[in-house]
Amino acid sequence: MASTKPNRLAFLSMPAPASYVAGLGRGASGFTTRSDIGPAREGPSAEVVAEAQARRGEEPEVDPEQFQDPDNEVGLFSGTTYEEDDEEADKIYEAVDNQLDSRRRVRREAREAEELAKLRSERPKIQTQFADLKRGLAAVTDAEWENLPEVGNLTRKKRKRDERTFVVPDSVLVGDREKNEYENSLDVRQQETGGFVTPAESGTLTNLVEIGQARDKILSLKLDQISGTSTTSGLSSSIDPKGYLTDLNSVVHKTEAEIGDIKKARMLFDSLIKSNPKHAPGWIAAACVEEHAGRMVAARKLIKAGCEQCPKSEDVWLEAARLHNNDDAKVILANAVQHVGQSVKIWLTAASLESDPKAKKRVLRKALESIPNSVRLWKETVNLETSPQDARILLSRAVEVIPLSVELWLALARLETPDRAKAVLNKARRAIPTSHEIWIAAGRLVEQQAIAESKPGDLDLVDRTIELAVRELKKHQVLLTREQWIKEAERCEEEGSRRTCEAIIKATISMDVEEEDRFDTWIGDAEAAESKGRIATARAVIAYALRVFPDRVDVWRKAAELEKNHGTAESFDAILSKAVHHCPQAEDLWLRSAKEKWLSGDVPGAREVLEQAFVANPESELIWLAAVKLEAENGEVAVARELLNRARTVADTAKIWMKSAVFERQHGQPETALKILSSALSKYPTFPKLYMIQGQIHQTAKDYPAARASFAAGIKRCPKDVTLWILASRLEEADGKSIKARSLLEKARLVNPANEMLWAEAVGVEDRSGVANQAKAMLARGLQECPSSGILWSLAIWAEPRATRKTRSVDALKKSADNPVIICTVARLFWTERKLEKAREWFGRAIKADSDQGDSWAWWLKYEREHGTPEHREEVIKGCIAAEPHHGLTWQSIAKDVRNAQKSTKEILELTAAALH
């Protein structure tokens, strides 16, 4: 069956079209060569190609670059004729372009000129750099031109060798010929003398030791000759042979860069002094350059020329005197005063060059003849006088010549007797009514006279003098600020005039202060003065504040604190007595007053103070408890018990009930204590310490079920109290039920999240149970929840191996740098590494961070016992007694132990230091 499909290759048997060119469709065109048979033929024309592309539906290709050049008119205008209109249009366009270019030309040329000037200033031509030198060549004479040296070869290139030849002498040729010949017979002289060998003892062998000794001997002889100690020569010199080698070592070897810098500086300053010879700093700088280069002779020549060119400049003369020795400097300064006779510096320098005091006085008196109104010259002249009488005469003349100098008036007043000093100060006050220094000096004079004559009543004159000073200064428009007056008061205190200091504060402390800002401003002034160590100024400020605010408790507390830190026991007691009189409702002031009397041994006085406090504050639990403590500490147990009974009736607070139970427990009455606790719990069921004491009494009696019930009741009533949870856990642990202890602590952490004490106790339970891995895991969990806990970080540091403890401590400090527990732990680390001074420093930092941490004090005392001196140990004990710490894990457990109830702070410190490990 025949196929009906068309034959795709049928075109191969068809004739080609008339205009067919093989490869034209893909861009090729046919060509023929001479090797082809027949004549060559042309390819298709552009029209034929365009017609073929049009039949195939193709668009003619357009060159995108043919329209880019406006001068090459091809494409759109390629077939047109260039006519007159086109030429006219081109001229118009060219005129427009020229016009636009002329507008921008001015700015363009200005910008180009500016850029060129900037380039020339940054990178000048060599021709420009030497322009001033070229101008200077005009002054060169013919003789100087003739004396110029010939130019040498400075190119550093190798010269061409001289190729000249010379005739070789006959002796050289004969010697060269006989060089390799051999002798076969002996010389007659050799036969007679036995040879030409030189004997060994003739000295041809070199002895290097003898040569070295001879060299040293010659050097020593030369040094002796130079120093003038040699007896053989009568020469003498100022050279010190001992410093000979030192002087050689002191020679500064300058580098090439420094030498180049010196040359550049020399050239610049040389140009400066030539172009402007009257410029004194240029001469000084040029001389300094030569001095730095070690050319002292050149430096002196330059500065001498500078003195000739600038005779009115005192700096040039002073520099010339400095560059010369002492004798030459005197001559130079003698010439200087002829030109610059009014220069105080030159006269003072001339006086300083004199070694004889009489010569100095002579120079200064000549200076005063030339410059009688110089305060500095008068002061220097007076300082040279050894006799007070002569100094007084000079100062009397000085204040006549210079009546406006406060310093001279005050110096004269200091040299006079008190009566004459008053007259001097009155004259000074009339001469200079605007000087506050004279008024203050008058006040100090009154104070000194009253103290010397033992007349305390005259001290009031000081206050009146300063008040008058303030009024008079205001009258003359002299308005010193309050800060300036405070500085003057501090200066008076520093110089020993405390009464004048107080008078200044009293008269000026209220200046420029708003009424509502007075309290804060004055307290700030007192604290600032105290921080500077100006205690009298601080006392004066506080005293004035107390007169203005007699019923402000804060001011009385500040005054009491100031006297406690810097005053005596009597002054402290006096300020407290005044404080409780003005503020009878301030319980802490009553207590501090009673405690001060008690500590000083005045128990009846302390009782009297507390009785007065009872009258003013009948329901104050603090005063009741202070009275109980006073009686109990002094052995009056019955009186203390009676006071507690009355306090429970009158004041009736939870703390008084708690202290009553503690008192009975400490004195061996646990049953009475339990009865008091039962009554107290019925009144104050939410006071956690009542449950704690009740449970501890049962636990001490080994009645674990009752103790467990007390702690359970407390936890139920006070679930947020952490100490109750910890005591309940320790009870279970003491009863051998560690699992129950863990369970209680887990519940406590749920109720009180992120509490470091609960996590620390949990770690302790695991540690005491011997499960180290569990303790470490618990510690890690605790640090995640409490990242800034000092107690947990301390445990983590000591849980690490010795090699990694330091790294762990750094992490702890980054998390909580101010935590006293961490700082104390770091101090203990330094202790273990035997870095003793650092350990002592860090223990001090821990106490500074929190002085209420008893454990830090105990660790420090333990350290000082092992590595410190008795003075160090005593210092730690005194500091602890003054701080009276109340916190710390070990400290609290020992301080609250019933057996340690009556022990002092020092004894508790000793026990805590012994218990730490």
Side-chain angles (χ1 to χ4, degrees), residues 237-300:
S237 176
S238 60
I239 296 177
D240 180 15
K242 294 182 179 179
Y244 186 73
L245 297 178
T246 305
D247 293 339
L248 290 178
N249 290 332
S250 64
V251 174
V252 179
H253 300 283
K254 296 181 173 62
T255 62
E256 293 184 3
E258 290 178 344
I259 294 172
D261 293 340
I262 291 173
K263 288 181 178 179
K264 290 179 181 177
R266 184 182 292 125
M267 181 179 66
L268 289 173
F269 289 126
D270 186 54
S271 174
L272 173 62
I273 59 181
K274 285 181 179 177
S275 59
N276 188 5
K278 300 299 181 181
H279 186 61
W283 290 102
I284 296 172
C288 288
V289 168
E290 298 300 339
E291 180 190 12
H292 181 70
R295 301 173 58 188
M296 292 301 299
V297 175
R300 288 167 182 161

Side-chain angles (χ1 to χ4, degrees), residues 811-833:
D811 297 337
L813 288 171
K814 287 180 181 178
K815 291 291 184 180
S816 183
D818 298 330
N819 194 292
V821 179
I822 294 177
I823 298 174
C824 184
T825 304
V826 173
R828 290 165 59 194
L829 280 179
F830 285 127
W831 180 7
T832 58
E833 295 175 1

Side-chain angles (χ1 to χ4, degrees), residues 326 330 350-364 384:
N326 206 359
K330 292 178 183 179
S352 66
L353 292 176
E354 300 291 344
S355 57
D356 184 18
K358 291 183 179 179
K360 285 189 177 183
K361 292 179 183 178
R362 187 164 53 250
V363 172
L364 288 174
L384 288 176

Side-chain angles (χ1 to χ4, degrees), residues 148-200:
L148 289 177
E150 292 293 333
V151 178
N153 183 15
L154 302 179
T155 59
R156 296 184 179 179
K157 294 182 179 180
K158 291 183 179 180
R159 293 185 178 182
K160 192 173 182 180
R161 290 185 178 181
D162 194 353
E163 300 295 338
R164 289 182 297 174
T165 58
F166 300 90
V167 178
V168 180
D170 294 341
S171 59
V172 176
L173 297 176
V174 172
D176 187 65
R177 185 191 66 187
E178 296 178 353
K179 182 171 60 175
N180 297 323
E181 292 183 356
Y182 295 94
E183 293 286 342
N184 52 14
S185 62
L186 293 175
D187 191 87
V188 177
R189 289 174 297 173
Q190 288 178 319
Q191 294 177 4
E192 292 176 356
T193 60
F196 293 148
V197 179
T198 305

Side-chain angles (χ1 to χ4, degrees), residues 753-761 763 778-797 808-809 811-823 825 853 889:
N755 188 279
E756 62 176 353
M757 297 301 299
L758 292 174
W759 282 107
E761 185 64 23
V763 173
M778 189 67 68
L779 185 58
R781 289 174 56 197
L783 284 173
Q784 288 180 352
E785 193 165 337
C786 307
S788 60
S789 168
I791 298 174
L792 294 179
W793 274 112
S794 179
L795 293 174
I797 291 170
R808 198 66 165 161
S809 66
D811 297 337
L813 288 171
K814 287 180 181 178
K815 291 291 184 180
S816 183
D818 298 330
N819 194 292
V821 179
I822 294 177
I823 298 174
T825 304
Q853 275 288 334
L889 297 177

Side-chain angles (χ1 to χ4, degrees), residues 368 372 378-379 381-383 385 387-417 420-421 423-425 427-428 431:
L368 287 173
W378 280 108
K379 288 170 65 177
T381 307
V382 171
N383 289 336
E385 297 295 335
S387 171
Q389 185 65 27
D390 295 340
R392 192 181 301 119
I393 294 171
L394 281 173
L395 286 171
S396 300
R397 176 60 181 162
V399 295
E400 291 177 5
V401 176
I402 316 174
L404 298 180
S405 174
V406 177
E407 295 179 79
L408 296 177
W409 282 109
L410 295 179
L412 178 59
R414 280 194 291 268
L415 290 175
E416 296 286 358
T417 60
R420 298 186 65 179
V424 169
L425 290 176
K427 289 182 181 178

